[in-house]
Structures are given as C-alpha cells and as structure tokens.
C-alpha cells in the first residue's frame, strides 16, 4: 500500500486525505492543531464556496453541514457614490447556491472524520528539518500548510506574481443579528460593496459554531482609512470599528447593523498577505522533494473569494493525478505535471483576482454599469464566481467585453 503524508489540516489537505482514503492508500495528516484547538481557535477565513467546489465535497460525502447552512442565493454589487448614496446597486441570482461553513467547524469535523475513516492524524507542527527525514518514510509528501512558514521551501514564480506587497488590509467579524437587505429580504446573498479608492466591504451569510450568522469583511486599500488594524483591537473594539467604518462609507448597510453582536470571543480577524504563485516542488536541504498544494503554491487575495474553492479544486485535481500514476514513483517530473494540471484552472482565477485588485478600467466600469440595466450581464458576472474561466471570454479583455455588451 502506498504511503502518503499530507502536512496541514485545512481545506486542501483534509479534502485530499479524505478522498485518498476511499482508495488503497495509507494516508497520514500532520496538523499543527487538534480538532478541539481548531474549534476553540480564531476564525480564519470567510470561506464562501461556490457550486462546483461544493459539489466536489458532496461527491465524497464531505458536505456534513450542508442541510444546516444558509444558502447563498445570489450576489449583489453596490458602488458607493457621493453623499452616502449608491452610484450602482444590483443583485443577481446564482444558478446554484453557494455556502460558507466556518473553517473552525469544517476542519475540526473533517479531521475527526478522517480518523473515523482510518486515516492517521498526528498533531505536530512540521519543520523543514522534520521533512528531511519524513520524505524517506513516505512515497509522497504533500505540503498543504496554507500560508505558514513552510512556504519558504517553494520559490516564488516572479513571472506569475505581479505583487510584492499585500494589496489589501483585511479585517472581519462574524456576527449574529444582521437584518436582511430590505430590497431582497428572503434571498440571502453575498453583498459586494465597493468604495472607490478606499476598498470593499463583503457581507457573507455563513454557518459557524453557534449556527447561521453573517460575516462583515472589509478589504482596505493599504494606507487608506480601512487600513487601521495594526493595533490589533480586542474583539468588542474590533467590531465597533468595523461598524463605524460601515456607517461612514456605506450608510445603507449600516442600517442593517443595529442589532449585530459577535458570534463568539474568537470571531474577529485582521491581517494581510501578498498574492503569490510559487513553484510546486520544494527541494529539501537533505536532497528530497515535496509537492506544494493550494495556498502554498497559489495564494490569491480573497477579494474574489476563491482560495477555498481553489483548494477544493486542487484536492480534486491532485487526487486524479495520484490515482492515475498508479505504482510509478512520485518524482519531480510528476510533481511539476501535477501542478501544471491544477494551474490550468488556477491561472484563470489568479488573473481575474489580480485584475480586480486594480482600479476598474473603463470596460469593467461599462460592464458593471450595464449589469444594472441588463439582468443577463449581471447574471453572467455573478456566476463567474463559480467558474472564473468564463471571465477570459469577456470580462478581462476590452474588445471581447465590447463585443459581448453589443449583443447581450
Ligand atoms: C480573510 C480571508 C477571507 C477569505 N475568504 C475566502 C472566501 O470567501 N472564499 C474562498 O474560497 N476563500 C477565502 N479565503 C481563502 C481561503 O481561506 C484559503 O485560500 C484556503 O483556506 C486555503 O486552503 P489551504 O488548504 O491551502 O490552507 P489552509 O486552509 O490555510 O490550511 C492550512 C493548514 O495547515 C496548518 N499548518 C500550517 N503550517 C503547518 C505546519 N508547519 N505543520 C502542520 N500544520 C501546519 C494550518 O494550521 C492549517 O490548518 C479567505 C482568506 C482570508 C485570509
């Protein structure tokens, strides 16, 4: 039986581990934290996931919280105008619902499920020195450790990484008590509010330790008024600051916040990271090689809410590559080919996400404006979050955008 070690108990590592257990593999996951520590820890993400990524979980019986989790039926976009008004404001349905299950709930539950399904879970924060020895004990070592220190093993791919510093200051709070948007009281949706030159506020229906909730998630342009978290405020002050910023920049959303309260004591998060693509093969000082996965190799800014989706798609793609390889050695050539297969879809997400971090060029402004009057345009934009490859055919190219708008 082939032995596979996966370092990191997140979306990608646990999904790959659980799905490998359906086949004849001896799978070990090394996790820096126990399921209980994950559950009792701080929130990590907003983790909104769209249909095809959710389907990849359903296909393997990993959708343990689907029935309880609020269904995200669509996505609304608003652009703040002068005097507290909205220059644009529209909502379009998703063809299939999205969902967001707090990673504290999901990863803790999946880690326990992995053990129930015969996997070995070892609690250990893995170092490069550990990996030097571990590569000799396994047929394949996959590093799925997110943005942790092990990324240092994987060289940055400069040609695919246009940024060298974080593009947004991130700050979020999980809350109960958010009132629905009065225009769509019965259709829970992600609200994508753009404050030109300042940043974005996403409001995302989600499921957490205490049931359904909403996430208030600011992405602030560095140096601007939303970039104000360096003092790491305590949770109550963190929420108060988020609400003050909503009142100042997005008063129509503030009206919904009168009764919000934090879901728990660990429901806030602030920080930032540089979007980056790395080379997939990590060469160890002692000579062995490990394969990087998901955020380790492709970490995009969360402005498009794609990282967990990518992690799920990476798990599906790597599983197929492992199964198809049979008993042949998992050498560096195979590792590169395995990543290249995943990159075919991750490329489209990366290009689109990096584009959205920039001020919208004229053709994007035209698209977003046309969506206000034309539901077909709005629907195409919204459903691109499930399949970002579609944006290559219209959104990202001025000529293609003009051709599409002329016929839409
Ligand atoms: C604020 C924010 C909002 C986001 N919103 C969304 C969204 O709405 N939709 C979306 O799709 N994506 C979103 N993302 C991105 C998404 O959370 C990540 O892309 C996704 O979790 C990556 O999965 P992963 O498996 O690569 O890594 P992770 O989920 O980060 O898992 C890595 C695991 O490895 C463990 N680990 C790290 N180092 C070690 C070590 N040395 N030894 C052992 N274990 C280790 C960590 O503790 C962690 O459990 C968001 C991210 C942030 C920061």
């Amino acid at each position: 039986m082939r032995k596979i070690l996966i370092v990191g108990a997140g979306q990608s590592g646990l999904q790959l581990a659980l799905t490998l257990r359906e086949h004849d593999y001896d799978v070990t996951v090394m996790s820096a934290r126990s399921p209980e520590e994950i559950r009792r820890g701080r929130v990590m993400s907003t983790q909104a996931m769209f249909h095809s990524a959710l389907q990849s979980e359903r296909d393997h019986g990993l959708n343990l919280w689907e029935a309880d989790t609020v269904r995200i039926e669509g996505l609304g976009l608003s652009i703040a105008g002068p005097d507290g008004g909205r220059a644009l404001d529209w909502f379009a349905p998703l063809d299939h619902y999205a969902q967001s299950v707090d990673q504290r709930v999901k990863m803790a539950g999946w880690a326990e499920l992995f053990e129930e399904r015969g996997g070995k879970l070892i609690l250990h924060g893995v170092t490069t020195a550990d990996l030097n020895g571990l590569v000799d004990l396994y047929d394949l070592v996959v590093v799925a450790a997110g943005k942790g220190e092990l990324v240092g093993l994987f060289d940055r791919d400069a040609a695919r990484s246009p940024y060298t510093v974080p593009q947004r200051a991130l700050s979020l709070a999980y809350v109960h008590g958010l009132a629905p948007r009065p225009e769509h009281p019965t259709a829970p949706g992600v609200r994508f509010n753009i404050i030109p030159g300042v940043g974005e506020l996403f409001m995302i229906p989600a499921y957490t330790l205490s049931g359904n909730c909403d996430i208030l998630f600011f992405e602030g342009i560095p140096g601007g008024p939303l970039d104000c978290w360096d003092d790491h405020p305590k949770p109550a002050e963190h929420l108060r600051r988020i609400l003050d910023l909503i009142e100042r920049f997005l008063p129509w959303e503030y009206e919904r916040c009168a009764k919000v309260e934090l879901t728990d004591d660990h429901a806030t998060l602030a920080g930032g990271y540089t979007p980056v693509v790395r080379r997939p093969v990590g060469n160890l000082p002692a000579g062995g090689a490990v394969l990087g996965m998901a955020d380790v190799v492709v970490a995009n800014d969360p402005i498009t809410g794609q990282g967990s989706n990518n992690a799920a798609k990476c798990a599906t793609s790597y599983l197929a590559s492992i199964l198809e390889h049979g008993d042949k050695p998992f050498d560096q050539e195979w590792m590169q080919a395995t990543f290249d297969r995943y990159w075919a879809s991750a490329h489209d997400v990366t290009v689109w996400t990096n584009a959205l971090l920039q001020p919208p060029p004229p053709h994007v402004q035209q698209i977003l404006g046309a969506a206000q009057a034309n539901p077909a345009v709005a629907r195409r934009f919204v459903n691109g979050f499930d399949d970002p490859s579609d944006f290559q055919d219209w959104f990202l190219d001025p000529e293609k955008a003009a051709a599409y708008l002329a016929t839409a």
Side-chain angles (χ1 to χ4, degrees):
M1 193 189 281
R2 304 204 85 184
K3 290 179 71 179
I4 297 186
L5 170 64
I6 298 170
V7 177
Q11 175 75 39
S12 66
L14 282 172
Q15 186 167 338
L16 178 62
L18 280 156
T19 53
L20 276 169
R21 282 297 305 147
E22 296 171 3
H23 304 271
D24 201 18
Y25 291 86
D26 178 341
V27 189
T28 300
V29 170
M30 289 193 175
S31 169
R33 292 188 294 167
S34 71
E36 208 39 46
E37 285 168 334
I38 293 171
R39 231 176 243 120
R40 281 192 277 107
R42 184 178 283 280
V43 293
M44 295 171 269
S45 177
T46 65
Q47 72 271 311
M49 292 179 67
F50 297 88
H51 175 69
S52 41
L54 293 176
Q55 189 58 43
S56 75
E57 299 180 355
R58 282 183 203 114
D59 289 344
H60 300 277
L62 304 180
N63 55 330
L64 309 185
W65 304 272
E66 179 162 8
D68 296 323
T69 302
V70 55
R71 296 178 176 194
I72 298 171
E73 306 284 358
L75 188 145
L77 183 134
S78 307
I79 300 183
D83 305 324
R86 282 166 265 184
L88 270 186
D89 188 48
W90 51 258
F91 180 87
L94 286 159
D95 292 343
H96 306 277
Y97 61 81
Q99 289 189 316
S100 167
V101 178
D102 185 341
Q103 289 186 339
R104 295 178 299 179
V105 174
K106 189 198 270 187
M107 299 318 147
W110 275 6
E112 288 164 350
L113 184 66
F114 174 65
E115 287 193 291
E116 281 164 28
R117 292 187 179 176
K120 290 182 206 121
L121 181 69
I122 297 176
L123 302 183
H124 181 64
V126 178
T127 63
T128 301
D130 294 330
L131 289 174
N132 276 328
L134 287 166
V135 282
D136 294 333
L137 305 178
Y138 293 88
D139 295 295
L140 171 65
V141 174
V142 179
V143 178
K147 303 174 199 76
E149 285 175 15
L150 291 178
V151 297
L153 283 169
F154 302 86
D155 291 340
R156 177 173 177 270
D157 185 336
R160 291 171 171 170
S161 306
Y163 301 118
T164 53
V165 292
Q167 297 300 298
R168 292 291 188 274
L170 311 175
S171 164
L172 60 84
Y174 282 49
V175 297
H176 288 306
L178 183 72
R181 265 282 191 109
E183 314 93 290
H184 308 103
T186 57
V190 169
R191 293 290 168 173
F192 181 179
N193 293 283
I194 299 173
I195 314 160
V198 175
E200 300 83 18
L201 170 69
F202 296 86
M203 302 169 94
I204 304 170
Y207 178 80
T208 187
L209 301 161
S210 48
N212 284 313
C213 67
D214 286 276
I215 308 173
L216 311 176
F217 175 29
F218 267 120
E219 290 235 342
I221 292 174
L226 304 182
D227 182 2
C228 57
W229 307 100
D230 287 350
D231 60 336
H232 304 292
K234 291 201 166 21
E237 162 61 14
H238 192 124
L239 176 60
R240 193 196 60 73
R241 206 176 290 176
I242 283 183
L243 294 175
D244 286 350
L245 291 166
I246 296 176
E247 182 178 25
R248 178 172 160 201
F249 290 106
L250 307 152
W252 63 91
E253 297 290 21
Y254 185 69
E255 288 166 14
R256 306 165 62 199
C257 296
K259 295 193 175 147
V260 303
E261 52 187 42
L262 290 172
T263 57
D264 59 271
D265 291 343
H266 304 285
T268 57
L269 181 72
Y273 60 90
T274 305
V276 63
V277 177
R278 293 192 177 83
R279 299 196 189 279
V281 181
N283 289 299
L284 296 166
V290 294
L291 172 64
M293 169 170 217
D295 266 14
V296 168
V297 282
V298 183
N300 290 318
D301 186 275
I303 192 167
T304 51
Q306 294 294 313
S308 295
N309 293 269
N310 268 353
K313 290 172 187 174
C314 189
T316 302
S317 178
Y318 278 25
L319 174 70
S321 294
I322 291 169
L323 296 182
E324 286 167 18
H325 204 57
D327 289 332
K328 289 177 273 192
F330 296 115
D331 54 20
Q332 295 198 28
E333 191 183 339
W334 174 85
M335 290 181 185
Q336 182 66 50
T338 294
F339 172 75
D340 290 346
R341 181 179 188 174
Y342 164 60
W343 175 247
S345 69
H347 162 270
D348 294 340
V349 177
T350 301
V351 170
W352 170 54
T353 303
N354 286 338
L356 276 205
L357 290 166
Q358 295 299 317
H363 76 278
V364 170
Q365 292 176 30
Q366 276 167 6
I367 288 171
L368 299 181
Q372 172 103 0
N374 186 340
V377 178
R379 200 169 184 133
R380 187 168 184 187
F381 176 77
V382 163
N383 283 286
F385 282 75
D386 182 38
D387 176 16
S389 67
D390 183 53
F391 289 120
Q392 307 286 331
D393 297 332
W394 67 298
F395 188 85
L396 292 169
D397 180 281
E399 283 178 20
K400 289 180 185 170
Y404 168 65
L405 290 179
T407 58

